[in-house]
């Protein structure tokens, strides 16, 4: 049975990563209320369904891609049920084809391991050059749920708080 805790409204007692520490510090500093659940590693769609049921909203899918030269990187947030079609993504942004970035670049630029990719990484200094892209449907939803930078903790917050408070100084491109 996949373990999902009850909803918790305080930060973890101990942080697994530097990003996780910074995420909760930013929530506190910016007055962003949240709910979170501790879980077994949530790596599959089935795992996420268990988490969705507990927190009452569907977890977004976040994809980390780059150009062929590995000089431009993109964190793309979309709905969990939308297939990633590179042609559509690149066409919407007017960029050449992209492919999935390496696990090493994911860690280097966003402070997360595969399975924990999150737009919350945008607060890290090393993520400053990463392009943030979000589906308009996600941006227009009331609630937003994603990892907190680990594969064992998922947070839920108001999408407006994410966009207007957490990402307030970041450039975000919305696509359909």
């Amino acid at each position: 049975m996949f373990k999902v805790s009850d909803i918790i409204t305080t930060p973890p007692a101990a942080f697994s990563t530097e990003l996780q520490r910074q995420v909760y510090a930013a929530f506190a500093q910016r007055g962003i209320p949240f709910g979170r659940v501790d879980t077994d590693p949530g790596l599959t769609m089935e795992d996420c369904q268990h988490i969705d049921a507990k927190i009452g909203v569907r977890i977004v899918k976040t994809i980390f891609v780059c150009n062929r030269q590995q000089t431009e990187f993109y964190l793309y947030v979309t709905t969990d049920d939308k297939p990633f079609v590179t042609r559509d993504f690149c066409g919407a942004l007017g960029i050449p084809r992209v492919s999935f970035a390496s696990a090493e670049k994911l860690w280097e630029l966003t402070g997360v391991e595969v399975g924990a990719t999150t737009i919350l990484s945008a607060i890290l200094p090393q993520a400053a050059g990463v392009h943030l892209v979000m589906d308009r449907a996600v941006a227009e939803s009331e609630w937003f749920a994603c990892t907190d930078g680990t594969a064992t903790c998922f947070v839920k917050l108001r999408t407006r708080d994410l966009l207007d408070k957490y990402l307030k100084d970041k450039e975000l491109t919305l696509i359909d």
Side-chain angles (χ1 to χ4, degrees):
M1 183 72 173
F2 186 80
K3 178 188 86 102
V4 181
S5 73
D6 288 333
I7 295 175
I8 305 162
T9 58
T10 58
F15 300 113
S16 302
T17 67
E18 177 58 21
L19 172 62
Q20 189 183 44
R21 185 192 67 72
Q22 288 190 36
V23 163
Y24 291 101
F27 287 169
Q29 179 185 43
R30 297 169 187 181
I32 300 173
F34 65 89
R36 69 175 179 88
V37 291
D38 292 329
T39 69
D40 287 334
L43 303 174
T44 68
M45 295 302 290
E46 185 177 274
D47 296 342
C48 289
Q49 289 172 348
H50 292 292
I51 300 163
D52 294 349
K54 183 65 89 164
I55 63 175
V57 64
R58 293 173 77 171
I59 297 166
V60 299
K61 176 169 52 178
T62 305
I63 300 167
F64 188 60
V65 295
C66 64
N67 63 357
R68 186 182 336 210
Q69 298 81 12
Q70 295 188 35
T71 56
E72 298 291 326
F73 294 87
Y74 303 83
L75 263 176
Y76 173 45
V77 180
T78 187
T79 58
D80 65 334
D81 59 349
K82 182 176 181 180
F84 179 64
V85 179
T86 57
R87 178 179 52 243
D88 296 344
F89 177 79
C90 296
L93 295 176
I95 59 173
R97 282 284 176 110
V98 295
S99 59
F100 291 100
S102 69
E104 293 78 21
K105 280 293 185 184
L106 177 66
W107 176 258
E108 177 187 329
L109 296 175
T110 69
V112 300
E113 296 179 352
V114 173
T117 309
T118 178
I119 197 165
L120 301 178
S121 295
I123 63 168
L124 296 175
Q126 66 264 31
V130 174
H131 302 281
L132 305 178
V133 182
M134 183 179 287
D135 273 343
R136 193 172 312 279
V138 173
E140 293 173 350
S141 63
E142 181 178 2
W143 294 100
F144 184 89
C146 65
T147 77
D148 70 352
T150 69
T152 57
C153 189
F154 293 78
V155 294
K156 172 186 172 181
L157 60 150
R158 291 199 177 278
T159 306
R160 290 286 18 124
D161 284 343
L162 172 73
L163 300 176
D164 297 342
K165 296 178 182 178
Y166 192 89
L167 298 174
K168 67 179 178 169
D169 299 324
K170 307 294 179 190
E171 184 176 327
L172 176 69
T173 303
L174 298 181
I175 62 175
D176 291 312

Short mmCIF file of all heavy atoms in Angstrom, two decimals, residues 61 76-79 82-83 89 133-141 172-176:
data_model
loop_
_atom_site.label_atom_id
_atom_site.label_comp_id
_atom_site.label_asym_id
_atom_site.label_seq_id
_atom_site.Cartn_x
_atom_site.Cartn_y
_atom_site.Cartn_z
N LYS A 61 2.41 18.01 -13.71
CA LYS A 61 3.57 17.33 -14.28
C LYS A 61 4.57 18.42 -14.64
O LYS A 61 4.22 19.39 -15.30
CB LYS A 61 3.14 16.54 -15.53
CG LYS A 61 4.26 15.87 -16.27
CD LYS A 61 3.77 14.90 -17.33
CE LYS A 61 2.78 15.46 -18.30
NZ LYS A 61 2.36 14.52 -19.35
N TYR A 76 8.91 23.08 -17.61
CA TYR A 76 7.57 23.17 -18.18
C TYR A 76 6.57 22.50 -17.26
O TYR A 76 6.68 21.31 -16.94
CB TYR A 76 7.57 22.50 -19.55
CG TYR A 76 6.22 22.36 -20.21
CD1 TYR A 76 5.31 23.40 -20.23
CD2 TYR A 76 5.85 21.16 -20.82
CE1 TYR A 76 4.07 23.27 -20.85
CE2 TYR A 76 4.62 21.02 -21.46
CZ TYR A 76 3.74 22.08 -21.45
OH TYR A 76 2.52 21.94 -22.06
N VAL A 77 5.56 23.25 -16.82
CA VAL A 77 4.52 22.76 -15.93
C VAL A 77 3.24 22.58 -16.73
O VAL A 77 2.76 23.51 -17.37
CB VAL A 77 4.28 23.74 -14.77
CG1 VAL A 77 3.20 23.20 -13.83
CG2 VAL A 77 5.57 24.00 -14.01
N THR A 78 2.70 21.38 -16.67
CA THR A 78 1.48 21.06 -17.41
C THR A 78 0.59 20.16 -16.56
O THR A 78 0.97 19.77 -15.46
CB THR A 78 1.84 20.41 -18.77
OG1 THR A 78 0.64 20.26 -19.54
CG2 THR A 78 2.53 19.08 -18.61
N THR A 79 -0.57 19.85 -17.08
CA THR A 79 -1.47 18.95 -16.36
C THR A 79 -0.93 17.52 -16.46
O THR A 79 -0.22 17.17 -17.40
CB THR A 79 -2.90 19.00 -16.94
OG1 THR A 79 -2.85 18.67 -18.32
CG2 THR A 79 -3.49 20.40 -16.76
N LYS A 82 -1.77 15.53 -19.79
CA LYS A 82 -1.43 16.06 -21.12
C LYS A 82 -0.12 15.46 -21.60
O LYS A 82 0.91 15.58 -20.94
CB LYS A 82 -1.31 17.59 -21.06
CG LYS A 82 -1.02 18.21 -22.41
CD LYS A 82 -0.99 19.73 -22.31
CE LYS A 82 -0.72 20.36 -23.66
NZ LYS A 82 -0.70 21.83 -23.56
N PRO A 83 -0.14 14.82 -22.76
CA PRO A 83 1.12 14.26 -23.28
C PRO A 83 2.07 15.39 -23.67
O PRO A 83 1.63 16.45 -24.12
CB PRO A 83 0.70 13.44 -24.50
CG PRO A 83 -0.68 13.89 -24.84
CD PRO A 83 -1.27 14.54 -23.63
N PHE A 89 5.22 22.04 -28.06
CA PHE A 89 5.91 22.87 -27.07
C PHE A 89 6.84 23.87 -27.77
O PHE A 89 6.78 25.07 -27.50
CB PHE A 89 6.72 21.97 -26.12
CG PHE A 89 7.54 22.71 -25.10
CD1 PHE A 89 6.96 23.24 -23.96
CD2 PHE A 89 8.91 22.88 -25.28
CE1 PHE A 89 7.72 23.91 -23.02
CE2 PHE A 89 9.68 23.55 -24.35
CZ PHE A 89 9.08 24.06 -23.21
N VAL A 133 7.95 27.83 -17.99
CA VAL A 133 6.84 27.74 -18.93
C VAL A 133 5.71 26.98 -18.24
O VAL A 133 5.95 25.95 -17.60
CB VAL A 133 7.26 27.01 -20.22
CG1 VAL A 133 6.11 26.98 -21.22
CG2 VAL A 133 8.52 27.63 -20.83
N MET A 134 4.48 27.49 -18.41
CA MET A 134 3.34 26.84 -17.77
C MET A 134 2.15 26.84 -18.72
O MET A 134 1.92 27.82 -19.42
CB MET A 134 2.98 27.59 -16.49
CG MET A 134 1.84 26.98 -15.69
SD MET A 134 1.46 27.92 -14.16
CE MET A 134 2.87 27.47 -13.15
N ASP A 135 1.43 25.74 -18.72
CA ASP A 135 0.18 25.69 -19.47
C ASP A 135 -0.80 26.68 -18.85
O ASP A 135 -0.92 26.78 -17.63
CB ASP A 135 -0.44 24.29 -19.42
CG ASP A 135 0.07 23.37 -20.50
OD1 ASP A 135 0.64 23.86 -21.49
OD2 ASP A 135 -0.11 22.16 -20.35
N ARG A 136 -1.50 27.39 -19.70
CA ARG A 136 -2.48 28.38 -19.25
C ARG A 136 -3.53 27.72 -18.35
O ARG A 136 -3.97 28.31 -17.37
CB ARG A 136 -3.14 29.03 -20.47
CG ARG A 136 -3.93 30.27 -20.14
CD ARG A 136 -4.41 30.99 -21.39
NE ARG A 136 -3.37 31.19 -22.40
CZ ARG A 136 -2.45 32.17 -22.36
NH1 ARG A 136 -2.45 33.01 -21.36
NH2 ARG A 136 -1.56 32.27 -23.31
N ALA A 137 -3.93 26.50 -18.66
CA ALA A 137 -4.93 25.80 -17.85
C ALA A 137 -4.45 25.62 -16.41
O ALA A 137 -5.25 25.74 -15.47
CB ALA A 137 -5.27 24.45 -18.46
N VAL A 138 -3.18 25.37 -16.21
CA VAL A 138 -2.63 25.23 -14.86
C VAL A 138 -2.65 26.60 -14.16
O VAL A 138 -3.06 26.72 -13.01
CB VAL A 138 -1.19 24.66 -14.90
CG1 VAL A 138 -0.55 24.68 -13.52
CG2 VAL A 138 -1.19 23.24 -15.47
N ALA A 139 -2.21 27.63 -14.88
CA ALA A 139 -2.15 28.98 -14.31
C ALA A 139 -3.53 29.50 -13.93
O ALA A 139 -3.65 30.30 -13.01
CB ALA A 139 -1.49 29.94 -15.29
N GLU A 140 -4.58 29.05 -14.62
CA GLU A 140 -5.93 29.51 -14.36
C GLU A 140 -6.68 28.67 -13.33
O GLU A 140 -7.80 29.01 -12.95
CB GLU A 140 -6.71 29.58 -15.67
CG GLU A 140 -6.18 30.66 -16.60
CD GLU A 140 -6.82 30.65 -17.98
OE1 GLU A 140 -7.57 29.70 -18.30
OE2 GLU A 140 -6.56 31.61 -18.74
N SER A 141 -6.08 27.59 -12.86
CA SER A 141 -6.75 26.75 -11.88
C SER A 141 -6.63 27.37 -10.48
O SER A 141 -5.74 28.17 -10.22
CB SER A 141 -6.17 25.33 -11.88
OG SER A 141 -4.81 25.37 -11.51
N LEU A 172 7.60 34.22 -16.44
CA LEU A 172 6.88 32.98 -16.70
C LEU A 172 6.14 33.12 -18.03
O LEU A 172 5.40 34.09 -18.21
CB LEU A 172 5.89 32.69 -15.57
CG LEU A 172 4.99 31.47 -15.72
CD1 LEU A 172 5.80 30.19 -15.63
CD2 LEU A 172 3.90 31.49 -14.65
N THR A 173 6.32 32.17 -18.90
CA THR A 173 5.62 32.16 -20.18
C THR A 173 4.46 31.19 -20.10
O THR A 173 4.64 30.03 -19.72
CB THR A 173 6.57 31.75 -21.32
OG1 THR A 173 7.68 32.63 -21.34
CG2 THR A 173 5.87 31.75 -22.67
N LEU A 174 3.25 31.66 -20.45
CA LEU A 174 2.08 30.79 -20.47
C LEU A 174 1.83 30.35 -21.91
O LEU A 174 1.92 31.14 -22.85
CB LEU A 174 0.85 31.54 -19.96
CG LEU A 174 0.91 32.02 -18.51
CD1 LEU A 174 -0.38 32.74 -18.13
CD2 LEU A 174 1.19 30.88 -17.55
N ILE A 175 1.52 29.06 -22.08
CA ILE A 175 1.19 28.53 -23.41
C ILE A 175 -0.09 27.71 -23.31
O ILE A 175 -0.50 27.31 -22.23
CB ILE A 175 2.36 27.67 -24.00
CG1 ILE A 175 2.66 26.44 -23.12
CG2 ILE A 175 3.60 28.53 -24.21
CD1 ILE A 175 3.70 25.51 -23.72
N ASP A 176 -0.73 27.48 -24.47
CA ASP A 176 -1.96 26.68 -24.51
C ASP A 176 -1.65 25.23 -24.83
O ASP A 176 -0.65 24.88 -25.31
CB ASP A 176 -2.94 27.25 -25.53
CG ASP A 176 -3.47 28.59 -25.07
OD1 ASP A 176 -3.89 28.71 -23.91
OD2 ASP A 176 -3.43 29.54 -25.88
#
